[in-house]
Amino acid sequence: MANPIIVAIDGYSSCGKSTIAKALAKYAGYTYVDTGAMYRAIGLYTLRHNLTEPADIIAALPNIQVGFILVDGAQHVTLNGEDVESQIRTLEAGNCASRISQIKEVRAFLVAQQQRMGEAKGIVMDGRDIGTVVFPNAELKLFLTASPEVRAQRRYDELVEKGEKPDFAAVLADVNDRDYRDTHRAESPLRQADDAIVVDNSNLTREEQMKVIYDLFDRHQ
Ligand code: DC
């Protein structure tokens, strides 16, 4: 790694951020960090402990440890040492993550941990506030977007693959609700950093999109 950089990838839910970030990390030989998984892990903790009041969630933060482990080469998130990768990938955990991510103290808790993870650079991090708050000085910032219908179809296909029986209209409504919450919350709302490069992948194949992104990365080396 000649000159390691920080790549910040932000964008709406289900626009393929993590697939792209993982592929780019592999291409670059960098560490990948899925910050959505960290919010989901805290969301799961609050579901398990029936915590709904922000004050109770904030009080529980010192008891919560979020980490990552590698399982057969794939990154899994851990909650207090337990591998919770499959439990956090449900609609319920996603919605809970979206709600708890509105709490300022929860964000400060995770942002500090994310900044420590990027100290040595050589990192690809995806989320909602990476280019704006976590790493405002990241060398390469990408903002991914795709139409709500395309994203709902992707989420629907993922849930079917996991054996769930989703209703498309409900999945689309959920995508729209999540977009609204993510862009309208008071704390670090999802927005494009001024110096981010927008990639709309509604009409791009995975290969076309990755070519665009690898080229951008190569030019920032
Ligand atoms: O990317 P995801 O669907 O796994 O994220 C789950 C929720 O976490 C999402 O609704 C918003 C929140 N989130 C956030 O607020 N900031 C981040 N950096 C990453 C995720």
Short mmCIF file of all heavy atoms in Angstrom, two decimals, residues 13 17 34-37 39-40 89 94 97-98 101 107 126-130 178 182 185, ligand 1:
data_model
loop_
_atom_site.label_atom_id
_atom_site.label_comp_id
_atom_site.label_asym_id
_atom_site.label_seq_id
_atom_site.Cartn_x
_atom_site.Cartn_y
_atom_site.Cartn_z
N SER A 13 -30.36 3.96 1.91
CA SER A 13 -30.36 2.54 2.25
C SER A 13 -30.63 1.72 0.99
O SER A 13 -31.30 2.19 0.06
CB SER A 13 -31.40 2.24 3.33
OG SER A 13 -32.69 2.47 2.84
N LYS A 17 -24.44 0.09 -1.21
CA LYS A 17 -23.21 0.65 -0.63
C LYS A 17 -22.25 -0.43 -0.14
O LYS A 17 -21.07 -0.39 -0.43
CB LYS A 17 -23.54 1.53 0.59
CG LYS A 17 -24.09 2.88 0.28
CD LYS A 17 -24.13 3.76 1.53
CE LYS A 17 -24.89 3.18 2.69
NZ LYS A 17 -26.33 3.04 2.50
N ASP A 34 -18.44 -1.46 7.80
CA ASP A 34 -19.86 -1.24 7.54
C ASP A 34 -20.45 -0.56 8.78
O ASP A 34 -20.75 -1.21 9.77
CB ASP A 34 -20.49 -2.62 7.30
CG ASP A 34 -22.00 -2.58 7.20
OD1 ASP A 34 -22.59 -1.49 7.31
OD2 ASP A 34 -22.59 -3.66 7.01
N THR A 35 -20.58 0.77 8.73
CA THR A 35 -21.04 1.47 9.94
C THR A 35 -22.52 1.23 10.21
O THR A 35 -22.97 1.32 11.35
CB THR A 35 -20.77 2.99 9.88
OG1 THR A 35 -21.52 3.55 8.80
CG2 THR A 35 -19.30 3.29 9.72
N GLY A 36 -23.30 0.92 9.14
CA GLY A 36 -24.72 0.60 9.34
C GLY A 36 -24.85 -0.60 10.27
O GLY A 36 -25.75 -0.65 11.12
N ALA A 37 -23.93 -1.55 10.13
CA ALA A 37 -23.96 -2.75 10.99
C ALA A 37 -23.76 -2.36 12.46
O ALA A 37 -24.33 -2.99 13.36
CB ALA A 37 -22.88 -3.74 10.55
N TYR A 39 -24.73 0.54 13.87
CA TYR A 39 -26.01 1.09 14.35
C TYR A 39 -27.03 -0.04 14.53
O TYR A 39 -27.82 -0.04 15.48
CB TYR A 39 -26.54 2.16 13.39
CG TYR A 39 -25.75 3.45 13.50
CD1 TYR A 39 -24.66 3.69 12.66
CD2 TYR A 39 -26.06 4.40 14.47
CE1 TYR A 39 -23.90 4.85 12.78
CE2 TYR A 39 -25.31 5.57 14.60
CZ TYR A 39 -24.24 5.78 13.75
OH TYR A 39 -23.50 6.92 13.89
N ARG A 40 -27.00 -1.01 13.63
CA ARG A 40 -27.93 -2.14 13.74
C ARG A 40 -27.65 -2.96 15.00
O ARG A 40 -28.58 -3.44 15.66
CB ARG A 40 -27.81 -3.04 12.50
CG ARG A 40 -28.49 -2.45 11.27
CD ARG A 40 -28.13 -3.24 10.01
NE ARG A 40 -28.74 -2.67 8.84
CZ ARG A 40 -29.89 -3.11 8.30
NH1 ARG A 40 -30.49 -4.15 8.81
NH2 ARG A 40 -30.38 -2.50 7.24
N ARG A 89 -29.74 -8.28 10.25
CA ARG A 89 -30.15 -8.06 8.85
C ARG A 89 -31.64 -8.24 8.64
O ARG A 89 -32.06 -8.77 7.62
CB ARG A 89 -29.38 -9.01 7.92
CG ARG A 89 -27.87 -8.89 7.99
CD ARG A 89 -27.36 -7.59 7.43
NE ARG A 89 -25.95 -7.39 7.75
CZ ARG A 89 -25.34 -6.21 7.66
NH1 ARG A 89 -25.98 -5.14 7.26
NH2 ARG A 89 -24.07 -6.10 7.98
N GLY A 94 -33.28 -3.10 11.16
CA GLY A 94 -32.95 -1.94 10.32
C GLY A 94 -33.75 -0.72 10.76
O GLY A 94 -33.22 0.39 10.87
N ALA A 97 -32.43 0.47 14.03
CA ALA A 97 -31.17 1.19 13.82
C ALA A 97 -31.44 2.61 13.36
O ALA A 97 -30.81 3.57 13.83
CB ALA A 97 -30.32 0.45 12.79
N SER A 98 -32.41 2.75 12.46
CA SER A 98 -32.74 4.08 11.95
C SER A 98 -33.23 4.98 13.09
O SER A 98 -32.87 6.16 13.16
CB SER A 98 -33.79 3.95 10.84
OG SER A 98 -34.12 5.20 10.33
N SER A 101 -30.35 5.77 15.64
CA SER A 101 -29.28 6.58 15.03
C SER A 101 -29.63 8.07 15.09
O SER A 101 -28.81 8.91 14.74
CB SER A 101 -29.03 6.15 13.59
OG SER A 101 -30.11 6.51 12.77
N ARG A 107 -24.69 8.48 18.28
CA ARG A 107 -23.83 8.82 17.14
C ARG A 107 -22.41 9.16 17.62
O ARG A 107 -21.44 8.69 17.05
CB ARG A 107 -24.40 10.01 16.34
CG ARG A 107 -25.80 9.80 15.81
CD ARG A 107 -26.08 10.70 14.63
NE ARG A 107 -25.28 10.29 13.49
CZ ARG A 107 -25.63 9.30 12.67
NH1 ARG A 107 -26.77 8.67 12.80
NH2 ARG A 107 -24.84 8.97 11.68
N ASP A 126 -18.44 2.69 4.87
CA ASP A 126 -19.71 3.14 4.29
C ASP A 126 -20.72 3.46 5.38
O ASP A 126 -20.65 2.93 6.48
CB ASP A 126 -20.23 2.17 3.24
CG ASP A 126 -20.85 0.91 3.81
OD1 ASP A 126 -21.09 0.84 5.02
OD2 ASP A 126 -21.10 -0.02 3.02
N GLY A 127 -21.64 4.39 5.03
CA GLY A 127 -22.66 4.80 6.01
C GLY A 127 -23.49 5.95 5.48
O GLY A 127 -23.84 6.00 4.29
N ARG A 128 -23.81 6.90 6.38
CA ARG A 128 -24.64 8.04 6.00
C ARG A 128 -23.90 9.36 6.21
O ARG A 128 -24.25 10.39 5.65
CB ARG A 128 -25.93 8.09 6.85
CG ARG A 128 -26.77 6.86 6.80
CD ARG A 128 -27.40 6.71 5.42
NE ARG A 128 -28.40 5.65 5.42
CZ ARG A 128 -28.13 4.35 5.50
NH1 ARG A 128 -26.89 3.94 5.58
NH2 ARG A 128 -29.11 3.46 5.48
N ASP A 129 -22.93 9.34 7.11
CA ASP A 129 -22.28 10.59 7.55
C ASP A 129 -20.77 10.46 7.47
O ASP A 129 -20.05 11.17 8.16
CB ASP A 129 -22.67 10.88 9.02
CG ASP A 129 -22.27 9.74 9.94
OD1 ASP A 129 -22.02 8.61 9.44
OD2 ASP A 129 -22.18 9.96 11.15
N ILE A 130 -20.27 9.55 6.65
CA ILE A 130 -18.83 9.28 6.67
C ILE A 130 -18.07 10.46 6.04
O ILE A 130 -17.10 10.94 6.62
CB ILE A 130 -18.49 7.94 5.96
CG1 ILE A 130 -19.41 6.80 6.45
CG2 ILE A 130 -17.01 7.59 6.17
CD1 ILE A 130 -19.44 6.60 7.94
N ARG A 178 -37.59 5.25 5.50
CA ARG A 178 -36.21 5.27 6.00
C ARG A 178 -35.46 6.46 5.37
O ARG A 178 -34.71 7.15 6.06
CB ARG A 178 -35.54 3.94 5.65
CG ARG A 178 -34.23 3.70 6.29
CD ARG A 178 -34.29 2.72 7.46
NE ARG A 178 -34.58 1.36 7.03
CZ ARG A 178 -33.64 0.46 6.78
NH1 ARG A 178 -32.37 0.79 6.88
NH2 ARG A 178 -33.96 -0.76 6.46
N ASP A 182 -33.75 9.31 7.50
CA ASP A 182 -32.30 9.50 7.38
C ASP A 182 -31.93 10.91 6.92
O ASP A 182 -30.88 11.43 7.29
CB ASP A 182 -31.70 8.47 6.41
CG ASP A 182 -31.66 7.05 6.98
OD1 ASP A 182 -31.93 6.88 8.19
OD2 ASP A 182 -31.37 6.11 6.23
N ARG A 185 -33.44 13.84 9.99
CA ARG A 185 -33.15 13.85 11.43
C ARG A 185 -32.28 15.06 11.78
O ARG A 185 -31.55 15.59 10.93
CB ARG A 185 -32.47 12.54 11.85
CG ARG A 185 -31.12 12.37 11.23
CD ARG A 185 -30.46 11.09 11.71
NE ARG A 185 -29.18 10.97 11.05
CZ ARG A 185 -28.71 9.86 10.48
NH1 ARG A 185 -29.44 8.77 10.48
NH2 ARG A 185 -27.55 9.86 9.92
O1 DC B 1 -26.93 1.04 5.94
P1 DC B 1 -27.90 0.32 6.88
O2 DC B 1 -29.27 0.10 6.28
O3 DC B 1 -27.32 -0.94 7.44
O4 DC B 1 -28.08 1.33 8.12
C1 DC B 1 -29.02 1.10 9.14
C2 DC B 1 -29.47 2.42 9.75
O5 DC B 1 -28.36 3.00 10.48
C3 DC B 1 -29.90 3.49 8.74
O6 DC B 1 -31.30 3.62 8.67
C4 DC B 1 -29.32 4.78 9.25
C5 DC B 1 -28.31 4.40 10.28
N1 DC B 1 -26.94 4.78 9.93
C6 DC B 1 -26.53 6.05 10.28
O7 DC B 1 -27.32 6.83 10.80
N2 DC B 1 -25.24 6.43 10.05
C7 DC B 1 -24.37 5.61 9.49
N3 DC B 1 -23.11 6.01 9.30
C8 DC B 1 -24.77 4.31 9.09
C9 DC B 1 -26.08 3.93 9.32
#
